[in-house]
Amino acid sequence: MTRLAGKVAIVTGGSSGIGRAIARLFAQEGARVVVADATEGVVEGGIPVVEAIRSDGHEGTFIRCDVAREAEVEGLFGETVARHGAVDILVNNAAIRAGKPLAETEEALWDSVIAVNLKGAFLCARAAVRQMLLQPVVDEARGRIVNISSQHGMIAAPEDFAYGVSKSGLVYMTRQIAADYGHQHIVCNAVAPGKILTGKTGRAIEPRWIAYSEARTPFPRLGTPLDVARAALFLASGEASFVNGHNLMVDGGWMAA
Ligand SMILES: NC(=O)c1ccc[n+]([C@@H]2O[C@H](COP(=O)([O-])OP(=O)(O)OC[C@H]3O[C@@H](n4cnc5c(N)ncnc54)[C@H](O)[C@@H]3O)[C@@H](O)[C@H]2O)c1
């Protein structure tokens, strides 16, 4: 299992859920994984991800980082380069939900969602591109960026105004980075998950949203974090040759139906 052998990968929001599955799979595939999260706590419960990675026999580091804060993001990349010498892969996964329609979205809620989901992805992508431009081309890339978007970046997110807008911005950002830096061998793609059951409670698993998701998904089940991690692995690896600016849906067909 060495599809990412020797690569240095930063996974934001990697403590829990989908990011956790990505961090573990990338480590299994030989990457030196840096989990960048605001907390080591696990939303769905369990041991910290770096402990899980190490008990799997692989290499992982946790760096506390609020992706909405420029100084912390700069610190994350500085520490990663000082420790590992490069940043080959960035997965922009950290995000928060708003859970409110437009008329109920207070300014502070809007600001917090945009700060994490959009500004955080911008700050991390900027730091990654600046570092990747200094790196040699290997397997046709100086580095690969994978943004975790959502089907709700393409169609409306019911009763989740700020979140949907932020995800649509992330889909745009994916294309913009691909267009601006593809000639310089920086590859940027996205994975758009459909409904993924991560083990978290609350709004995510309210019966009406589960029923809505099942009705929208033409597949015998909803998604798992590993479904998304496998797609992220493909896009983070040299196997995704000539794939750039793409938003890969991992949604059981939600967007097809
Ligand atoms: N779960 C789904 O059904 C689903 C569907 C579509 C898209 N997504 C996307 O997948 C990604 C992961 O979702 P999830 O369901 O695993 O989420 P989650 O809430 O389980 O985990 C999110 C992680 O991000 C971290 N985080 C939050 N704010 C942060 C900040 N400011 N700085 C650093 N880390 C921060 C959290 O601590 C947590 O570890 C998100 O981008 C989400 O929008 C999820």
Side-chain angles (χ1 to χ4, degrees):
M1 305 291 266
T2 54
R3 290 160 76 190
L4 300 181
K7 301 291 184 191
V8 179
I10 293 177
V11 182
T12 72
S15 288
S16 302
I18 292 170
R20 180 184 179 89
I22 293 171
R24 289 187 75 170
L25 185 62
F26 282 21
Q28 280 167 29
E29 291 290 344
R32 287 172 280 166
V33 174
V34 175
V35 172
D37 201 300
T39 174
E40 274 192 281
V42 186
V43 171
E44 64 274 17
I47 58 172
V49 63
V50 165
E51 276 181 40
I53 288 171
R54 290 182 188 152
S55 74
D56 291 342
H58 306 299
E59 194 176 336
T61 314
F62 175 79
I63 297 180
R64 191 174 310 281
C65 174
D66 178 347
V67 295
R69 293 179 184 273
E70 182 180 43
E72 294 190 27
V73 170
E74 292 299 311
L76 164 68
F77 280 77
E79 200 175 327
T80 302
V81 173
R83 191 185 288 241
H84 297 299
V87 177
D88 301 301
I89 298 161
L90 165 68
V91 181
N92 268 322
N93 166 81
I96 55 175
R97 305 287 302 229
K100 296 230 173 121
L102 170 62
E104 291 164 33
T105 299
E106 308 87 357
E107 184 183 14
L109 179 62
W110 168 268
D111 284 348
S112 64
V113 172
I114 298 301
V116 177
N117 299 10
L118 209 44
K119 182 181 162 190
F122 147 64
L123 290 172
C124 290
R126 187 182 67 178
V129 165
R130 286 175 175 169
Q131 171 59 31
M132 289 168 181
L133 286 171
L134 304 173
Q135 298 177 180
V137 177
V138 179
D139 272 349
E140 293 194 292
R142 294 181 202 280
R144 295 176 181 273
I145 298 173
V146 181
N147 294 324
I148 306 302
S149 58
S150 170
Q151 86 275 42
H152 291 133
M154 290 163 282
I155 54 165
E159 298 175 32
D160 212 350
F161 179 71
Y163 176 82
V165 174
S166 76
K167 288 294 169 179
S168 117
L170 192 55
V171 174
Y172 175 87
M173 200 189 295
T174 303
R175 297 192 188 110
Q176 186 74 49
I177 294 167
D180 284 345
Y181 293 100
H183 287 292
Q184 287 151 287
H185 295 271
I186 293 174
V187 177
C188 184
N189 290 291
V191 180
K195 181 65 180 174
I196 308 298
L197 299 174
T198 62
K200 84 176 137 202
T201 55
R203 184 181 188 273
I205 56 158
E206 272 175 26
R208 70 182 178 123
W209 294 124
I210 294 293
Y212 170 74
S213 300
E214 285 174 347
R216 294 291 305 247
T217 305
F219 204 79
R221 62 173 176 84
L222 298 176
T224 68
L226 189 57
D227 294 326
V228 182
R230 286 178 173 143
L233 170 62
F234 166 66
L235 292 174
S237 77
E239 289 168 28
S241 52
F242 206 54
V243 181
N244 196 20
H246 186 64
N247 186 30
L248 175 58
M249 286 171 268
V250 179
D251 64 355
W254 182 309
M255 291 294 294

